[in-house]
């Protein structure tokens, strides 16, 4: 029940709003909707809750809307790598330090997909094609230049001795749109969050050549090798967290960490982890700050390697 966790004395006094940076069903929308559903069904939050989708800038427009709600503990958003890379690239003038990080939730690894009828039969042929002519293959990614998808591609091309600056990228506000682009044959390759490819894989409209996880994923991805298996240095995932507005109090952060601690143990969340191939990674407090600082440094290093920043 709401208020039974050790989260301090503060409780929401009015409607709680999740501002989400991808469309319904997108990579930042799915965890928000699942968390909201659990928080309400398990009576972890007694106040009404709603989701507002504001797409653009890889989630940046949602964080822009969150930023202007300084001091308001009733508004939250899902954080992801573009919160860091947008500032590094000059897309925005702030990163996680201007907001209030609450927790990291999980990591979602990438799937490298092609149309079902693609002449690319396996990951090695894909790498060979990219190494020979990186500009000759249109690649669909989400949700912005410089995100984990782009960085993963850059690692692959640099491993093969090719110039990642020559990639022909098609960038979408949602991984679902990128999958549709591959299905339609407009892109010859898609690099997207694994769960976003699941329905297309089940329908047989795409094939998966490789995944970026440490170990093989299950379900429809069970037959796909990891890049690590192929001796290619590409173990990367898209982390998702929860972030609050600037200048909220420690009692507000404690409340939301307490609610999350219960929600993440709920059977429905465990089912979501399994169904979506999400790898749990619950991080809070000082460890969260260290995690985000490391991710910012890694992102800056890779974006310089891709010559997206000086």
């Amino acid at each position: 029940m709401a208020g039974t966790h050790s989260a301090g004395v503060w409780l929401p006094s009015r409607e709680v709003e999740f501002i989400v940076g991808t469309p319904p069903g997108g990579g930042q929308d799915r965890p928000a909707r699942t968390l909201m559903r659990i928080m309400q069904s398990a009576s972890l939050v007694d106040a009404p809750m709603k989701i507002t989708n504001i797409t653009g800038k890889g989630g940046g427009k949602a964080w822009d809307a969150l930023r202007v709600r300084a001091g308001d503990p009733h508004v939250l958003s899902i954080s992801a790598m573009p919160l860091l890379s947008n500032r590094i690239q000059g897309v925005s003038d702030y990163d996680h330090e201007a907001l209030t990080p609450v927790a990291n939730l999980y990591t979602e690894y990438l799937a490298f997909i092609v149309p079902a009828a693609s002449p690319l039969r396996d990951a090695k042929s894909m790498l060979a094609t990219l190494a020979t002519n990186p500009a000759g293959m249109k690649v669909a990614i989400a949700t912005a230049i410089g995100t984990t998808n782009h960085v993963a591609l850059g690692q692959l091309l640099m491993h093969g001795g090719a110039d990642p600056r020559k990639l022909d990228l098609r960038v979408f506000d949602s991984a679902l749109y990128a999958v549709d682009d591959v299905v339609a044959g407009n892109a010859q390759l898609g690099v997207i969050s694994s769960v976003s490819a699941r329905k297309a894989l089940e329908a047989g409209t795409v094939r998966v050549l490789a995944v970026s996880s440490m170990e093989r994923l299950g379900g429809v991805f069970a037959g796909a090798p990891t890049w690590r298996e192929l001796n290619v240095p590409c173990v990367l995932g898209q982390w998702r967290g929860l972030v609050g507005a600037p200048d909220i109090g420690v009692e507000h952060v404690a409340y939301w960490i307490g609610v999350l601690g219960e929600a993440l143990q709920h059977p429905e969340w465990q089912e979501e982890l399994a169904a979506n191939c999400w790898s749990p990674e619950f991080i809070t407090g000082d460890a969260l700050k260290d995690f985000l600082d490391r991710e910012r440094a890694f992102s800056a290093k890779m974006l310089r390697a891709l010559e997206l920043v000086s």
Side-chain angles (χ1 to χ4, degrees):
M1 297 296 291
T4 60
H5 45 74
S6 55
V9 298
W10 181 82
L11 294 171
S13 58
R14 53 184 170 80
E15 184 175 62
V16 173
E17 180 180 12
F18 274 98
I19 303 178
V20 177
T22 55
Q28 295 171 34
D29 180 81
R30 287 191 301 270
R33 289 186 187 275
T34 302
L35 286 172
M36 186 177 73
R37 192 164 57 245
I38 293 170
M39 289 175 184
Q40 292 184 309
S41 66
S43 298
L44 300 178
V45 177
D46 283 337
M49 304 182 74
K50 72 174 183 179
I51 287 183
T52 301
N53 298 85
I54 305 177
T55 64
K57 297 198 303 183
K61 289 189 177 181
W63 300 316
D64 290 345
L66 180 67
R67 191 184 184 195
V68 300
R69 303 275 289 273
D72 185 353
H74 297 85
V75 59
L76 303 163
S77 189
I78 298 297
S79 57
M81 178 59 85
L83 176 58
L84 312 180
S85 58
N86 278 355
R87 181 176 187 181
I88 296 167
Q89 296 179 89
V91 175
S92 68
D93 61 356
Y94 66 93
D95 57 21
H96 63 290
E97 291 185 340
L99 302 174
T100 305
V102 175
N104 194 66
L105 302 173
Y106 63 87
T107 298
E108 185 173 23
Y109 291 102
L110 306 175
F112 292 71
I113 63 170
V114 295
S118 170
L120 298 174
R121 302 314 303 172
D122 54 32
K124 290 183 178 180
S125 62
M126 185 202 91
L127 281 180
T129 301
L130 283 173
T132 303
N133 182 19
M137 185 186 301
K138 294 184 185 300
V139 185
I141 66 170
T143 53
I145 293 291
T147 53
T148 307
N149 316 57
H150 190 189
V151 167
L153 277 166
Q155 283 191 317
L156 294 181
L157 264 71
M158 287 186 285
H159 174 76
D163 187 350
R165 297 171 301 173
K166 295 182 178 179
L167 283 165
D168 187 357
L169 298 175
R170 295 167 61 82
V171 184
F172 297 88
D173 283 340
S174 169
L176 297 175
Y177 299 159
V179 173
D180 291 343
D181 200 55
V182 174
V183 171
N186 298 321
Q188 288 78 53
L189 173 67
V191 183
I192 41 82
S193 53
S194 54
V195 67
S196 298
R198 186 181 60 194
K199 288 185 178 179
L201 283 168
E202 291 170 346
T205 54
V206 302
R207 292 183 288 110
V208 58
L209 302 183
V211 292
S212 69
S213 51
M214 181 69 71
E215 307 292 341
R216 285 203 182 198
L217 302 178
V220 292
F221 300 99
T226 66
W227 288 116
R228 186 167 173 259
E229 284 179 58
L230 302 172
N231 296 315
V232 177
C234 184
V235 179
L236 279 177
Q238 299 183 36
W239 47 266
R240 311 285 188 201
L242 194 72
V243 64
D247 302 325
I248 62 174
V250 293
E251 70 276 19
H252 306 132
V253 174
Y255 171 81
W256 287 117
I257 289 175
V259 168
L260 284 173
E262 295 189 37
L264 300 189
Q265 297 302 314
H266 196 278
E268 184 175 350
W269 181 259
Q270 298 302 313
E271 291 168 5
E272 285 290 307
L273 289 176
N276 295 312
C277 299
W278 294 344
S279 299
E281 195 170 9
F282 188 44
I283 308 172
T284 63
D286 291 341
L288 176 61
K289 181 184 184 304
D290 291 344
F291 169 79
L292 293 172
D293 288 347
R294 289 195 307 272
E295 286 294 302
R296 179 171 56 189
F298 172 74
S299 181
K301 174 184 174 182
M302 288 306 302
L303 293 176
R304 284 194 296 269
L306 293 172
E307 296 190 8
L308 293 173
V309 297
S310 58

